[in-house]
Amino acid sequence: MPVSSKDPSGWKAAKVKILLGRLSSVFPAAAYCDIEVGIPEINFRGPVPDEFAQLEAAAAADAAARIVLSQGIPPTAILCRSFQEEMERILSAAIPGVRVTKFLTPNVPHKTFP
Protein backbone atom coordinates (compact mmCIF):
# COMPACT_ATOMS: atom_id res chain seq x y z
CA MET A 1 0.00 0.00 0.00
CA PRO A 2 1.46 3.42 -0.91
CA VAL A 3 2.39 5.73 1.93
CA SER A 4 0.03 8.68 2.29
CA SER A 5 1.48 12.05 3.25
CA LYS A 6 -1.42 12.38 5.71
CA ASP A 7 -0.91 9.14 7.66
CA PRO A 8 1.95 8.31 10.02
CA SER A 9 4.01 5.52 8.49
CA GLY A 10 7.51 4.09 8.54
CA TRP A 11 10.43 4.67 10.82
CA LYS A 12 14.11 5.56 10.50
CA ALA A 13 16.68 5.12 13.23
CA ALA A 14 20.24 6.17 13.94
CA LYS A 15 22.50 4.88 16.69
CA VAL A 16 25.29 6.91 18.25
CA LYS A 17 27.67 6.05 21.08
CA ILE A 18 28.21 9.54 22.50
CA LEU A 19 30.72 10.68 25.11
CA LEU A 20 29.23 13.18 27.53
CA GLY A 21 31.98 14.91 29.43
CA ARG A 22 32.54 17.76 31.82
CA LEU A 23 36.01 19.16 32.43
CA SER A 24 36.75 20.22 35.96
CA SER A 25 39.86 20.22 38.11
CA VAL A 26 37.74 19.03 41.03
CA PHE A 27 35.50 16.43 39.39
CA PRO A 28 36.20 15.61 35.74
CA ALA A 29 33.43 13.38 34.51
CA ALA A 30 32.61 11.43 31.39
CA ALA A 31 30.13 8.73 30.41
CA TYR A 32 29.59 6.86 27.15
CA CYS A 33 25.90 6.67 26.29
CA ASP A 34 24.27 4.41 23.72
CA ILE A 35 21.68 6.63 22.05
CA GLU A 36 19.16 5.53 19.43
CA VAL A 37 17.12 8.26 17.77
CA GLY A 38 13.97 7.00 16.06
CA ILE A 39 12.23 9.36 13.66
CA PRO A 40 8.92 8.74 11.89
CA GLU A 41 9.16 8.85 8.09
CA ILE A 42 5.87 10.74 8.13
CA ASN A 43 4.00 12.33 11.03
CA PHE A 44 0.87 14.47 11.20
CA ARG A 45 2.89 17.42 9.80
CA GLY A 46 3.88 15.41 6.71
CA PRO A 47 7.11 13.75 5.53
CA VAL A 48 10.21 14.20 7.70
CA PRO A 49 13.22 14.72 5.36
CA ASP A 50 16.50 13.09 6.43
CA GLU A 51 18.44 16.37 6.33
CA PHE A 52 15.90 18.09 8.57
CA ALA A 53 15.93 15.17 11.02
CA GLN A 54 19.74 15.16 11.14
CA LEU A 55 20.01 18.90 11.80
CA GLU A 56 17.28 18.90 14.44
CA ALA A 57 18.71 15.81 16.18
CA ALA A 58 22.20 17.36 16.30
CA ALA A 59 20.85 20.62 17.71
CA ALA A 60 18.75 18.74 20.29
CA ALA A 61 21.76 16.63 21.33
CA ASP A 62 23.90 19.75 21.83
CA ALA A 63 21.21 21.47 23.88
CA ALA A 64 20.46 18.35 25.94
CA ALA A 65 24.16 17.83 26.69
CA ARG A 66 24.52 21.42 27.92
CA ILE A 67 21.46 21.04 30.17
CA VAL A 68 22.31 17.69 31.77
CA LEU A 69 26.01 18.41 32.19
CA SER A 70 25.19 21.64 34.03
CA GLN A 71 23.11 19.65 36.55
CA GLY A 72 26.18 17.97 38.04
CA ILE A 73 24.86 14.43 37.58
CA PRO A 74 27.67 11.88 38.12
CA PRO A 75 28.87 10.02 34.99
CA THR A 76 26.59 7.01 35.28
CA ALA A 77 23.60 5.48 33.59
CA ILE A 78 21.55 8.21 35.27
CA LEU A 79 23.42 10.85 33.23
CA CYS A 80 22.71 8.92 30.03
CA ARG A 81 19.02 8.50 30.89
CA SER A 82 18.69 12.21 31.70
CA PHE A 83 20.35 13.03 28.38
CA GLN A 84 17.93 10.74 26.49
CA GLU A 85 14.90 12.28 28.18
CA GLU A 86 16.08 15.85 27.62
CA MET A 87 16.99 15.21 23.99
CA GLU A 88 13.60 13.61 23.32
CA ARG A 89 11.81 16.54 24.98
CA ILE A 90 13.69 19.08 22.86
CA LEU A 91 13.53 17.13 19.59
CA SER A 92 9.79 16.36 19.99
CA ALA A 93 9.01 20.06 19.53
CA ALA A 94 10.50 19.97 16.02
CA ILE A 95 9.58 16.38 15.08
CA PRO A 96 6.49 14.98 16.80
CA GLY A 97 6.67 11.21 17.25
CA VAL A 98 10.43 11.05 17.84
CA ARG A 99 11.86 8.49 20.26
CA VAL A 100 15.27 8.71 21.99
CA THR A 101 16.31 5.52 23.80
CA LYS A 102 19.20 3.17 24.45
CA PHE A 103 20.04 0.93 21.48
CA LEU A 104 16.89 -1.04 20.61
CA THR A 105 16.67 -1.69 16.87
CA PRO A 106 18.71 -4.68 15.66
CA ASN A 107 21.04 -4.47 12.64
CA VAL A 108 21.47 -0.69 12.65
CA PRO A 109 25.20 0.14 12.71
CA HIS A 110 26.27 2.75 15.24
CA LYS A 111 28.66 5.68 15.07
CA THR A 112 30.85 6.97 17.86
CA PHE A 113 31.03 10.69 18.70
CA PRO A 114 33.42 12.29 19.28
Side-chain angles (χ1 to χ4, degrees):
M1 175 164 34
V3 175
S4 164
S5 63
K6 295 180 183 177
D7 298 321
S9 178
W11 195 257
K12 49 191 159 197
K15 292 181 179 180
V16 178
K17 189 173 278 283
I18 187 168
L19 175 64
L20 292 176
R22 177 176 51 249
L23 297 178
S24 165
S25 59
V26 178
F27 186 61
Y32 271 103
C33 303
D34 298 339
I35 303 297
E36 180 173 314
V37 180
I39 306 281
E41 292 281 351
I42 298 171
N43 62 22
F44 71 91
R45 292 182 180 165
V48 180
D50 289 347
E51 297 79 15
F52 175 73
Q54 291 166 349
L55 289 172
E56 291 297 326
D62 286 346
R66 279 192 297 278
I67 291 167
V68 299
L69 290 171
S70 71
Q71 295 171 347
I73 300 169
T76 64
I78 295 169
L79 177 67
C80 292
R81 183 67 187 145
S82 295
F83 175 77
Q84 292 167 7
E85 291 170 353
E86 194 63 35
M87 185 175 172
E88 184 171 302
R89 183 189 68 75
I90 294 166
L91 190 52
S92 291
I95 306 173
V98 70
R99 179 178 70 190
V100 180
T101 62
K102 291 183 64 65
F103 289 176
L104 295 176
T105 308
N107 302 321
V108 175
H110 73 267
K111 303 283 184 192
T112 300
F113 184 83

